[in-house]
Amino acid sequence: MGGLLGFRGGRGGRAQVDVQAVRQKAEQGDANAQYNLGVMYIKGQGVKQDYAQARQWYQKAVEKVVARL
């Protein structure tokens, strides 16, 4: 998967997250964005940490990738 969509450099080397941009792409079916949103939920980056949401987004990403095979 490519770079992390919606992540950009911030002060002190910490990444800032554009959650809305990532979520919009994820909801449109972008597998990279779905994966990245899952990462955000696992780490609590820009969203409240939620393992169930992370799993759902990871599952959607996997289904997209597998469908391409």
Side-chain angles (χ1 to χ4, degrees):
M1 297 198 179
L4 295 176
L5 173 74
F7 286 72
R8 57 188 181 274
R11 292 178 12 181
R14 304 194 101 192
Q16 296 175 350
V17 182
D18 186 348
V19 177
Q20 289 180 324
V22 176
R23 183 179 306 280
Q24 183 178 18
K25 287 287 203 181
E27 289 172 350
Q28 292 172 352
D30 183 295
N32 285 329
Q34 291 168 339
Y35 171 81
N36 291 336
L37 195 53
V39 170
M40 292 163 67
Y41 274 109
I42 285 287
K43 295 183 175 187
Q45 290 179 320
V47 295
K48 182 178 176 189
Q49 191 173 44
D50 185 330
Y51 296 116
Q53 280 291 315
R55 183 183 183 283
Q56 288 177 4
W57 286 111
Y58 284 145
Q59 184 65 38
K60 288 177 187 247
V62 167
E63 289 171 0
K64 275 283 194 199
V65 172
V66 169
R68 294 183 205 155
L69 300 177

